[in-house]
PDB file of all heavy atoms in Angstrom:
ATOM      1  N   GLY A  20       2.533  17.770 -12.209  1.00 95.00           N
ATOM      2  CA  GLY A  20       2.580  19.183 -11.835  1.00 95.00           C
ATOM      3  C   GLY A  20       3.786  19.884 -12.433  1.00 95.00           C
ATOM      4  O   GLY A  20       3.681  21.012 -12.932  1.00 95.00           O
ATOM      5  N   ALA A  21       4.926  19.218 -12.404  1.00 97.00           N
ATOM      6  CA  ALA A  21       6.138  19.791 -12.994  1.00 97.00           C
ATOM      7  C   ALA A  21       5.960  19.974 -14.507  1.00 97.00           C
ATOM      8  O   ALA A  21       6.362  21.000 -15.069  1.00 97.00           O
ATOM      9  CB  ALA A  21       7.341  18.899 -12.702  1.00 97.00           C
ATOM     10  N   ALA A  22       5.345  19.005 -15.153  1.00 96.00           N
ATOM     11  CA  ALA A  22       5.106  19.093 -16.595  1.00 96.00           C
ATOM     12  C   ALA A  22       4.141  20.230 -16.919  1.00 96.00           C
ATOM     13  O   ALA A  22       4.293  20.911 -17.938  1.00 96.00           O
ATOM     14  CB  ALA A  22       4.574  17.768 -17.125  1.00 96.00           C
ATOM     15  N   PHE A  23       3.170  20.442 -16.046  1.00 94.00           N
ATOM     16  CA  PHE A  23       2.257  21.568 -16.244  1.00 94.00           C
ATOM     17  C   PHE A  23       3.026  22.884 -16.226  1.00 94.00           C
ATOM     18  O   PHE A  23       2.815  23.754 -17.075  1.00 94.00           O
ATOM     19  CB  PHE A  23       1.163  21.587 -15.164  1.00 94.00           C
ATOM     20  CG  PHE A  23       0.303  22.816 -15.253  1.00 94.00           C
ATOM     21  CD1 PHE A  23      -0.741  22.877 -16.158  1.00 94.00           C
ATOM     22  CD2 PHE A  23       0.546  23.919 -14.455  1.00 94.00           C
ATOM     23  CE1 PHE A  23      -1.525  24.020 -16.273  1.00 94.00           C
ATOM     24  CE2 PHE A  23      -0.224  25.068 -14.552  1.00 94.00           C
ATOM     25  CZ  PHE A  23      -1.270  25.113 -15.468  1.00 94.00           C
ATOM     26  N   VAL A  24       3.938  23.036 -15.284  1.00 95.00           N
ATOM     27  CA  VAL A  24       4.737  24.257 -15.193  1.00 95.00           C
ATOM     28  C   VAL A  24       5.593  24.426 -16.453  1.00 95.00           C
ATOM     29  O   VAL A  24       5.661  25.515 -17.027  1.00 95.00           O
ATOM     30  CB  VAL A  24       5.608  24.256 -13.914  1.00 95.00           C
ATOM     31  CG1 VAL A  24       6.609  25.397 -13.914  1.00 95.00           C
ATOM     32  CG2 VAL A  24       4.720  24.321 -12.677  1.00 95.00           C
ATOM     33  N   VAL A  25       6.235  23.344 -16.894  1.00 96.00           N
ATOM     34  CA  VAL A  25       7.058  23.395 -18.113  1.00 96.00           C
ATOM     35  C   VAL A  25       6.198  23.790 -19.317  1.00 96.00           C
ATOM     36  O   VAL A  25       6.565  24.664 -20.108  1.00 96.00           O
ATOM     37  CB  VAL A  25       7.763  22.046 -18.359  1.00 96.00           C
ATOM     38  CG1 VAL A  25       8.350  21.967 -19.767  1.00 96.00           C
ATOM     39  CG2 VAL A  25       8.839  21.811 -17.318  1.00 96.00           C
ATOM     40  N   GLY A  26       5.051  23.146 -19.458  1.00 94.00           N
ATOM     41  CA  GLY A  26       4.168  23.443 -20.584  1.00 94.00           C
ATOM     42  C   GLY A  26       3.634  24.865 -20.542  1.00 94.00           C
ATOM     43  O   GLY A  26       3.624  25.562 -21.563  1.00 94.00           O
ATOM     44  N   ALA A  27       3.201  25.304 -19.370  1.00 93.00           N
ATOM     45  CA  ALA A  27       2.651  26.656 -19.242  1.00 93.00           C
ATOM     46  C   ALA A  27       3.723  27.715 -19.497  1.00 93.00           C
ATOM     47  O   ALA A  27       3.475  28.709 -20.189  1.00 93.00           O
ATOM     48  CB  ALA A  27       2.035  26.847 -17.854  1.00 93.00           C
ATOM     49  N   ALA A  28       4.915  27.512 -18.950  1.00 96.00           N
ATOM     50  CA  ALA A  28       6.008  28.474 -19.162  1.00 96.00           C
ATOM     51  C   ALA A  28       6.412  28.516 -20.633  1.00 96.00           C
ATOM     52  O   ALA A  28       6.663  29.598 -21.190  1.00 96.00           O
ATOM     53  CB  ALA A  28       7.207  28.113 -18.285  1.00 96.00           C
ATOM     54  N   SER A  29       6.455  27.353 -21.278  1.00 96.00           N
ATOM     55  CA  SER A  29       6.786  27.297 -22.706  1.00 96.00           C
ATOM     56  C   SER A  29       5.726  28.013 -23.526  1.00 96.00           C
ATOM     57  O   SER A  29       6.047  28.793 -24.430  1.00 96.00           O
ATOM     58  CB  SER A  29       6.884  25.844 -23.172  1.00 96.00           C
ATOM     59  OG  SER A  29       7.852  25.150 -22.450  1.00 96.00           O
ATOM     60  N   LEU A  30       4.483  27.746 -23.216  1.00 93.00           N
ATOM     61  CA  LEU A  30       3.382  28.382 -23.926  1.00 93.00           C
ATOM     62  C   LEU A  30       3.472  29.896 -23.794  1.00 93.00           C
ATOM     63  O   LEU A  30       3.414  30.632 -24.786  1.00 93.00           O
ATOM     64  CB  LEU A  30       2.047  27.865 -23.380  1.00 93.00           C
ATOM     65  CG  LEU A  30       0.785  28.440 -24.015  1.00 93.00           C
ATOM     66  CD1 LEU A  30       0.667  27.993 -25.465  1.00 93.00           C
ATOM     67  CD2 LEU A  30      -0.439  28.003 -23.226  1.00 93.00           C
ATOM     68  N   GLU A  31       3.659  30.367 -22.588  1.00 95.00           N
ATOM     69  CA  GLU A  31       3.740  31.809 -22.346  1.00 95.00           C
ATOM     70  C   GLU A  31       4.928  32.423 -23.083  1.00 95.00           C
ATOM     71  O   GLU A  31       4.810  33.481 -23.711  1.00 95.00           O
ATOM     72  CB  GLU A  31       3.854  32.089 -20.846  1.00 95.00           C
ATOM     73  CG  GLU A  31       3.934  33.553 -20.488  1.00 95.00           C
ATOM     74  CD  GLU A  31       2.699  34.371 -20.818  1.00 95.00           C
ATOM     75  OE1 GLU A  31       1.602  33.785 -20.994  1.00 95.00           O
ATOM     76  OE2 GLU A  31       2.818  35.600 -20.901  1.00 95.00           O
ATOM     77  N   GLY A  32       6.077  31.770 -23.004  1.00 97.00           N
ATOM     78  CA  GLY A  32       7.266  32.287 -23.681  1.00 97.00           C
ATOM     79  C   GLY A  32       7.089  32.362 -25.189  1.00 97.00           C
ATOM     80  O   GLY A  32       7.477  33.359 -25.825  1.00 97.00           O
ATOM     81  N   LEU A  33       6.503  31.329 -25.770  1.00 97.00           N
ATOM     82  CA  LEU A  33       6.293  31.300 -27.213  1.00 97.00           C
ATOM     83  C   LEU A  33       5.267  32.342 -27.660  1.00 97.00           C
ATOM     84  O   LEU A  33       5.422  32.958 -28.721  1.00 97.00           O
ATOM     85  CB  LEU A  33       5.887  29.894 -27.658  1.00 97.00           C
ATOM     86  CG  LEU A  33       6.994  28.850 -27.532  1.00 97.00           C
ATOM     87  CD1 LEU A  33       6.423  27.444 -27.695  1.00 97.00           C
ATOM     88  CD2 LEU A  33       8.109  29.110 -28.533  1.00 97.00           C
ATOM     89  N   VAL A  34       4.242  32.559 -26.856  1.00 95.00           N
ATOM     90  CA  VAL A  34       3.250  33.588 -27.175  1.00 95.00           C
ATOM     91  C   VAL A  34       3.906  34.976 -27.087  1.00 95.00           C
ATOM     92  O   VAL A  34       3.673  35.837 -27.935  1.00 95.00           O
ATOM     93  CB  VAL A  34       2.019  33.471 -26.250  1.00 95.00           C
ATOM     94  CG1 VAL A  34       1.117  34.693 -26.359  1.00 95.00           C
ATOM     95  CG2 VAL A  34       1.237  32.201 -26.583  1.00 95.00           C
ATOM     96  N   ARG A  35       4.753  35.166 -26.086  1.00 97.00           N
ATOM     97  CA  ARG A  35       5.429  36.474 -25.932  1.00 97.00           C
ATOM     98  C   ARG A  35       6.379  36.789 -27.082  1.00 97.00           C
ATOM     99  O   ARG A  35       6.631  37.958 -27.352  1.00 97.00           O
ATOM    100  CB  ARG A  35       6.176  36.530 -24.615  1.00 97.00           C
ATOM    101  CG  ARG A  35       5.253  36.697 -23.444  1.00 97.00           C
ATOM    102  CD  ARG A  35       6.011  36.878 -22.162  1.00 97.00           C
ATOM    103  NE  ARG A  35       5.081  36.972 -21.058  1.00 97.00           N
ATOM    104  CZ  ARG A  35       5.269  37.747 -20.021  1.00 97.00           C
ATOM    105  NH1 ARG A  35       6.364  38.466 -19.903  1.00 97.00           N
ATOM    106  NH2 ARG A  35       4.368  37.780 -19.053  1.00 97.00           N
ATOM    107  N   ILE A  36       6.916  35.768 -27.736  1.00 97.00           N
ATOM    108  CA  ILE A  36       7.808  36.056 -28.865  1.00 97.00           C
ATOM    109  C   ILE A  36       7.053  36.123 -30.197  1.00 97.00           C
ATOM    110  O   ILE A  36       7.665  36.280 -31.247  1.00 97.00           O
ATOM    111  CB  ILE A  36       8.987  35.058 -28.964  1.00 97.00           C
ATOM    112  CG1 ILE A  36       8.509  33.637 -29.251  1.00 97.00           C
ATOM    113  CG2 ILE A  36       9.863  35.127 -27.737  1.00 97.00           C
ATOM    114  CD1 ILE A  36       9.622  32.669 -29.628  1.00 97.00           C
TER     115      ILE A  36
END
Side-chain angles (χ1 to χ4, degrees):
F23 174 82
V24 171
V25 167
S29 301
L30 180 67
E31 180 65 20
L33 292 167
V34 168
R35 286 185 183 216
I36 64 169

